[in-house]
Amino acid sequence: MGPQKNTYIRISLPAVCFVWQIAMVLLFGIFIRYNEEADAHWVEHKQQHNLTDIDNDFYFRYPSFQDVHVMIFVGFGFLMTFLKRYSFGGVGFNFLIAAFGLQWALLMQGWFHSLDQDTGKIYIGIENLINADFCVAGCLIAYGALLGKVSPVQLMVVTLFGITLYAVEEYIILNLLHCRDAGGSMVIHCFGGYYGLAISWVLYRPNLHQSKHNEGSVYHSDVFAMIGTLFLWMFWPSFNSAITNHGDGQHRAVINTYIALAASVVTAVAISSMFHSKGKLDMVHIQNATLAGGVAMGTSAEFMISPYGALIVGFFMGIISTFGYVIVTPFLAKSLKLQDTCGVHNLHAVPGMLGGFIAAIVAAFASDSVYSHQGLINTFDLTGEYASRTMSTQGGYQAAGTCVAMAFGLIGGAIVGLILKLPIWGDPADDNCFDDEAYWEVRADAEDQDELKVV
Amino acid sequence: MGPQKNTYIRISLPAVCFVWQIAMVLLFGIFIRYNEEADAHWVEHKQQHNLTDIDNDFYFRYPSFQDVHVMIFVGFGFLMTFLKRYSFGGVGFNFLIAAFGLQWALLMQGWFHSLDQDTGKIYIGIENLINADFCVAGCLIAYGALLGKVSPVQLMVVTLFGITLYAVEEYIILNLLHCRDAGGSMVIHCFGGYYGLAISWVLYRPNLHQSKHNEGSVYHSDVFAMIGTLFLWMFWPSFNSAITNHGDGQHRAVINTYIALAASVVTAVAISSMFHSKGKLDMVHIQNATLAGGVAMGTSAEFMISPYGALIVGFFMGIISTFGYVIVTPFLAKSLKLQDTCGVHNLHAVPGMLGGFIAAIVAAFASDSVYSHQGLINTFDLTGEYASRTMSTQGGYQAAGTCVAMAFGLIGGAIVGLILKLPIWGDPADDNCFDDEAYWEVRADAEDQDELKVV
Amino acid sequence: MGPQKNTYIRISLPAVCFVWQIAMVLLFGIFIRYNEEADAHWVEHKQQHNLTDIDNDFYFRYPSFQDVHVMIFVGFGFLMTFLKRYSFGGVGFNFLIAAFGLQWALLMQGWFHSLDQDTGKIYIGIENLINADFCVAGCLIAYGALLGKVSPVQLMVVTLFGITLYAVEEYIILNLLHCRDAGGSMVIHCFGGYYGLAISWVLYRPNLHQSKHNEGSVYHSDVFAMIGTLFLWMFWPSFNSAITNHGDGQHRAVINTYIALAASVVTAVAISSMFHSKGKLDMVHIQNATLAGGVAMGTSAEFMISPYGALIVGFFMGIISTFGYVIVTPFLAKSLKLQDTCGVHNLHAVPGMLGGFIAAIVAAFASDSVYSHQGLINTFDLTGEYASRTMSTQGGYQAAGTCVAMAFGLIGGAIVGLILKLPIWGDPADDNCFDDEAYWEVRADAEDQDELKVV
């Protein structure tokens, strides 16, 4: 591996883009239609059901949707601009795979969740758009582990399989196991994190140290990354509440997430300072570990975990995640040959997994007295065949769901990793990683030019 | 032209600002009042009409308004920071002309649309604020063609006339021709694009190559521009749905725009790669052509174009727009002497015009069976004197409206261009373009200082 | 003072973070619970009170809350990145103190405003989250005066006392004096501004000129700061309307703030150009003085000040604030030994104070004919023991409230300043200010490395 590698993608990238985009047009033409709230027949529908316009789900969810949308494109995108010479790839490929992925997600999730058996059509509305964005988030998390080491064509493959795996594990966890996972600690973060880690592990590059000079940040690239961090942090309450129940469900999920995130910041700062010989803070920790509380609250945000429960979750996640960046990531790189560019192990995989188990415990202890009888039924959707499920059983299923998410991530990622080892994808050589020059037309900087003049 | 030019604006800029701002105070005093939803009499109004607070239009439109507001100030503003030494002018003058323009727009649009004949007052509410932001967007698009080549005083003139022309063409298109144009493919993008191009054409600078060293981006200015791109891209569904009908109208416009934009990204990437000798991507295309689907869906977003229809529109717009950046802009610069700094021809003028004609076709084929009878009437507002208009007639009027927008842009722009040729506006010499030093106090950079030390 | 100073905070910062965060967990456990709109009992509550989900206050305030949240973390945070070598500290410490402060604010404001006397619990919902963000804003304003000259441990102290003082003055002004102050001209801006100025005055550094080389911006740090400016500017209408009355109250506050801010931009530009020998604009003025209209409209945004009234307020605030940056700040630094890094005197203290007095006048002239009888009662909450208060009395109380805010800021700030003079807080020496190296692990920049190679 090395000099013989070729990053020429002039044929493969356009080919993949066009083939897949044309497939999307055909499949959308066959399957996708507006649901009754977005169709012009709404005027008839609302008369029949005695509704007014404000009852349209659009008004309950659109503000949250737009916040989620910002997290996907600016949040994840700018968080990955921190590398000194891979900012274009960070924000640009994030843009590409999210835009492609959400189309495929509308189809995959539609087939599993919104397919009308009579007409064979998928009827979409605002909640489908939110779920498509969620689905894409899983792939963007995986991208965090691969940042700078793969080609855009490989990322399209990661996304195609990632969305597919996501839709299946989500169906198993939410429908078959009947788990709750509003903010996706399990289905998004745990799955996405382990999916990316498994791929990265299979694609291990023994000579990655040859790109050492490009790994790491410069002053302004760290400030750019803070744009990503802050938009993720601020809008995480919207993420965890976007598809929860109307009324108290959305309201409570926002409060819990807001509180958990605040605690994460304070403990992440404490640990970051503690592990530096002079007590200085590390931007990597501030950019990432401050978000761990939001990840871990993903599943239990809609539960009656109580404000201090949320605070405790955030408290420990800030510690665990920062500790991961200081100790675990270097250990994994050395011992397990796991190269995890953004540390998704510490921000998504572990906090997501822990969030799943925390929610299992919170669910197991849920009771009529805390939730009210109807409140408990609404929160856990204990209707139909699930009406008689006890809360300890529900807790068990929540824990099982977390394991399913992890298994899908690890096994699916290993298989996709093997596919990506084929020598046809135009990925960079070991001494050419973390460098935008490989896939982007990069103009010489004014500063560079001035320096040339100095010479 | 050249050394005799003088960018001294210490008298003209403050004079223009003060004269116009004082005029605004006087005209607001004479004309502008709160409408019944923003007036303290609302408490009586809602009792009389049996309403509750949630029926206030504020709650239907405020989230979309704020998204549009972000597009105007951060979206357009940061998109224009891409030049290496004109970022202050890009985001700063955008700020100035938008803040001035929205005041004048409230008046101009108010006289045409919200004037109460009995009291002679303009009653404003949230929808007027959205429309003022829309109106300003036309002028900011025009600024894209002029970026780096004009003085702020000229930009104030461009804005004053641009808002005025906009209000007139909008009145003709929406009221006299009774077209639909919720997201403004015609009235905003097509008009604004051709307005800017015509001005730029009249102001042709034969020796602009003398500023060649400042044209183009540096690494971090391209990352700044991505902030603009992404906020425009993410919030475009809000733009196209901000003033559509409550309920299904807003819901459907969001879905269509979301889908069209996703397709634009994928095809823009494909074409960008295809036209580079090594398949590398060009930031200019990613920053701009990815948005073309949103422009072209402006008019038909509220129609029943169907999700795959939106996908097809986005598909072709990504191709056409990128193609424009690669082939058409250099051609226009050479053959037509048209200097279009941001390529508004490819992002606004052409996709806007095509969006107008696409909507004409979609409208012509609209039917009771697809929309429901009442749905068709609501969507196209076929009430009163328009109750008997057939859909093919409506299609014809939509096409005519597109031509009106283009004509207003071209003729109005040519006239304004001639006014701006007067030697009184403090515009920069040909060798002094694209340089913030002309109008901004620019501090020496740390890097520059270090380099001086090196010397 | 000087070389003997030590910025070692490896023990103090983690200790303060952990002690305070553990205290938060305990106090949240004892006091804080969900209110009836966020509790799972909502399903019973809404049946009892014949409500539907859309009546949940969440849907009236959540979009505004998220905008406010962006202002606190991105707005204030990025506004403070303008210094060439203190961007990490600007955005990073802003993040830390806001995340800590909002927890303490939930408790302090809860005890004063949301404590249930029967159960001894604080019941929180979306309005508490908004108020906590507001409360934090006061401390972030104070940070603006101290930027670059204090340690993060000192900032935690500033925040702890700042939140406490805020909650008390807010209780006096809103509850005891029964003032209205929806957008916080008095309780947030006037208090926060004078609080920061008093601290800065006590902490006067006679040899701060030794850090002169780090004071000031570079090209790209000024562009980063514009992110902060624009998000503050765009979302200020949400700030001033976030906790106003449902319906016309929120609607009117948005319109007034939108208009006032637009005028501020135009006059700030005019004055900035006028005071430069060649008419050039200064980024400091554009970044700050353009916001002064929003500050000054904080109290009267919900009043019937009328659109032209708002325009006049914005008009003069843009002038006064820019004038402050040009003339007053240098004067204060020289004559009063007041070192105000961000010029909070011109952006918050003075416009906040003036906003308080303007509102006193507007309130004094409020009448049944302008507001309607019920509208006047609703707007000024003239119910219960205040039902018979005349409007001129209300005006007097508003003016008194402004004086209370100022007094709390000045006296509280002086005391906190004295506490911060203790030699235990790890603040930097006079020749080490405005430098991220003191508290952050700063990697060498690519540019710096290249320059080293050149040498």
Side-chain angles (χ1 to χ4, degrees), chain B residues 10 21 34 38-41 56 59 62 66 73 85-87 126 133 436-437 439 441 443 445-446, chain C residues 67 218-219 233-235 238 246-248 250-252 256 258 274 276 280-282 304 306 315 370-371:
Chain B
R10 194 181 175 185
Q21 192 57 55
Y34 307 115
D39 191 287
H41 286 79
N56 197 306
Y59 299 104
Y62 189 64
Q66 274 296 7
F73 290 89
R85 279 281 142 180
Y86 209 74
S87 300
I126 188 68
D133 272 20
D436 274 332
E437 294 273 0
Y439 304 112
E441 177 69 33
R443 286 157 194 87
D445 274 19
Chain C
D67 294 349
V218 290
Y219 195 68
W233 194 92
M234 296 180 304
F235 288 164
S238 297
H246 291 179
D248 66 300
Q250 291 193 288
H251 206 144
R252 188 166 57 251
N256 287 334
Y258 174 90
M274 219 148 107
H276 186 281
K280 294 187 185 184
L281 300 174
D282 189 323
M304 292 285 288
S306 83
F315 185 95
V370 172
Y371 286 73

Side-chain angles (χ1 to χ4, degrees), chain A residues 67 218-219 233-235 238 247-248 250-252 256 258 274 276 280-282 304 306 315 370-371, chain C residues 10 21 34 38-41 56 59 62 66 69 73 85-87 126 133 436-437 439 441 443 445-446:
Chain A
D67 293 349
V218 290
Y219 196 67
W233 194 92
M234 296 181 302
F235 289 165
S238 297
D248 66 299
Q250 292 193 288
H251 206 144
R252 189 166 57 252
N256 287 333
Y258 174 90
M274 219 148 106
H276 186 282
K280 293 186 185 183
L281 300 174
D282 190 322
M304 291 285 288
S306 83
F315 185 95
V370 172
Y371 286 74
Chain C
R10 194 180 174 186
Q21 192 56 55
Y34 307 116
D39 191 287
H41 287 79
N56 198 305
Y59 299 105
Y62 189 64
Q66 274 296 6
H69 217 39
F73 290 89
R85 279 280 142 181
Y86 209 73
S87 301
I126 188 69
D133 273 20
D436 274 331
E437 294 273 0
Y439 304 110
E441 178 69 34
R443 287 158 194 85
D445 275 19

Side-chain angles (χ1 to χ4, degrees), chain C residues 156-222:
Chain C
M156 300 287 276
V157 175
V158 168
T159 306
L160 181 72
F161 284 99
I163 301 287
T164 310
L165 289 163
Y166 180 103
V168 176
E169 57 115 23
E170 185 192 40
Y171 179 73
I172 294 170
I173 294 170
L174 301 191
N175 295 53
L176 302 188
L177 302 182
H178 199 71
C179 296
R180 302 294 288 173
D181 193 16
S185 294
M186 302 187 276
V187 299
I188 301 171
H189 298 286
C190 182
F191 163 75
Y194 284 109
Y195 180 59
L197 290 171
I199 297 172
S200 187
W201 184 74
V202 174
L203 297 180
Y204 176 68
R205 287 167 174 275
N207 298 310
L208 190 59
H209 58 85
Q210 293 174 355
S211 291
K212 198 74 193 167
H213 58 290
N214 278 327
E215 216 182 347
S217 60
V218 290
Y219 195 68
H220 280 169
S221 72
D222 266 328

Side-chain angles (χ1 to χ4, degrees), chain B residues 192-398:
Chain B
Y194 285 109
Y195 179 59
L197 291 171
I199 297 173
S200 186
W201 184 73
V202 174
L203 297 180
Y204 177 68
R205 287 167 174 274
N207 298 312
L208 189 60
H209 57 85
Q210 293 175 356
S211 291
K212 197 74 193 167
H213 58 288
N214 277 329
E215 216 182 347
S217 59
V218 289
Y219 195 67
H220 280 170
S221 71
D222 267 327
V223 182
F224 277 120
M226 281 302 291
I227 297 172
T229 298
L230 289 176
F231 276 101
L232 287 171
W233 194 91
M234 296 181 302
F235 288 164
W236 216 293
S238 297
F239 194 91
N240 285 350
S241 69
I243 57 164
T244 54
N245 290 335
H246 291 178
D248 66 299
Q250 292 193 288
H251 206 145
R252 189 165 59 252
V254 162
I255 295 172
N256 287 334
T257 311
Y258 174 90
I259 288 173
L261 284 163
S264 284
V265 176
V266 178
T267 55
V269 165
I271 300 292
S272 181
S273 171
M274 219 148 106
F275 273 97
H276 186 282
S277 61
K278 292 183 183 164
K280 294 186 185 184
L281 300 174
D282 190 322
M283 261 293 176
V284 171
H285 309 154
I286 307 305
Q287 283 159 10
N288 292 281
T290 51
L291 301 166
V295 173
M297 285 304 297
T299 308
S300 43
E302 61 178 331
F303 300 166
M304 291 285 288
I305 193 171
S306 84
Y308 67 89
L311 207 59
I312 293 170
V313 170
F315 185 95
F316 285 107
M317 288 304 144
I319 296 172
I320 291 168
S321 185
T322 316
F323 189 80
Y325 279 95
V326 178
I327 304 289
V328 183
T329 296
F331 172 81
L332 292 177
K334 235 186 189 170
S335 318
L336 240 77
K337 310 202 168 205
L338 181 54
Q339 292 157 336
D340 176 8
T341 316
C342 296
V344 303
H345 177 268
N346 315 304
L347 176 49
H348 297 284
V350 169
M353 179 193 63
L354 292 176
F357 291 126
I358 289 165
I361 297 167
V362 175
F365 285 95
S367 67
D368 276 12
S369 64
V370 172
Y371 286 73
S372 81
H373 181 66
Q374 190 60 40
L376 193 69
I377 291 171
N378 288 359
T379 304
F380 291 92
D381 192 20
L382 298 175
T383 53
E385 58 176 309
Y386 304 102
S388 59
R389 188 185 269 191
T390 67
M391 291 319 299
S392 53
T393 311
Q394 178 70 26
Y397 277 106
Q398 297 278 151

Side-chain angles (χ1 to χ4, degrees), chain A residues 197-204 337 413-419 421:
Chain A
L197 290 171
I199 297 173
S200 187
W201 184 73
V202 174
L203 297 180
Y204 177 68
K337 309 201 169 206
I415 295 167
V416 171
L418 288 173
I419 295 170
K421 288 202 95 162

Side-chain angles (χ1 to χ4, degrees), chain C residues 84-329:
Chain C
K84 69 178 75 151
R85 279 280 142 181
Y86 209 73
S87 301
F88 291 5
V91 69
F93 294 150
N94 184 83
F95 193 17
L96 170 63
I97 62 184
F100 166 71
L102 61 86
Q103 300 175 49
W104 181 230
L106 282 175
L107 284 162
M108 280 301 299
Q109 294 185 311
W111 285 319
F112 277 111
H113 296 288
S114 309
L115 191 70
D116 186 297
Q117 301 295 343
D118 296 330
T119 63
K121 304 295 181 197
I122 298 163
Y123 294 96
I124 63 169
I126 188 69
E127 196 168 336
N128 299 72
L129 306 193
I130 297 170
N131 274 313
D133 273 20
F134 277 2
C135 194
V136 163
C139 297
L140 300 180
I141 290 165
Y143 180 32
L146 308 171
L147 186 70
K149 301 176 296 182
V150 291
S151 77
V153 184
Q154 286 179 310
L155 287 172
M156 300 287 276
V157 175
V158 168
T159 306
L160 181 72
F161 284 99
I163 301 287
T164 310
L165 289 163
Y166 180 103
V168 176
E169 57 115 23
E170 185 192 40
Y171 179 73
I172 294 170
I173 294 170
L174 301 191
N175 295 53
L176 302 188
L177 302 182
H178 199 71
C179 296
R180 302 294 288 173
D181 193 16
S185 294
M186 302 187 276
V187 299
I188 301 171
H189 298 286
C190 182
F191 163 75
Y194 284 109
Y195 180 59
L197 290 171
I199 297 172
S200 187
W201 184 74
V202 174
L203 297 180
Y204 176 68
R205 287 167 174 275
N207 298 310
L208 190 59
H209 58 85
Q210 293 174 355
S211 291
K212 198 74 193 167
H213 58 290
N214 278 327
E215 216 182 347
S217 60
V218 290
Y219 195 68
H220 280 169
S221 72
D222 266 328
V223 182
F224 277 121
M226 281 304 289
I227 297 173
T229 298
L230 289 175
F231 276 102
L232 287 171
W233 194 92
M234 296 180 304
F235 288 164
W236 217 293
S238 297
F239 194 91
N240 285 350
S241 69
I243 57 164
T244 53
N245 290 335
H246 291 179
D248 66 300
Q250 291 193 288
H251 206 144
R252 188 166 57 251
V254 162
I255 294 172
N256 287 334
T257 312
Y258 174 90
I259 288 174
L261 284 162
S264 284
V265 176
V266 178
T267 54
V269 165
I271 300 293
S272 181
S273 171
M274 219 148 107
F275 272 97
H276 186 281
S277 61
K278 291 183 184 165
K280 294 187 185 184
L281 300 174
D282 189 323
M283 261 293 177
V284 171
H285 309 154
I286 307 304
Q287 284 160 10
N288 293 282
T290 52
L291 301 166
V295 172
M297 284 305 296
T299 308
S300 43
E302 61 179 330
F303 300 166
M304 292 285 288
I305 193 172
S306 83
Y308 67 89
L311 207 59
I312 293 169
V313 170
F315 185 95
F316 285 107
M317 288 304 145
I319 296 172
I320 291 167
S321 185
T322 315
F323 189 80
Y325 279 94
V326 178
I327 305 290
V328 183
T329 296

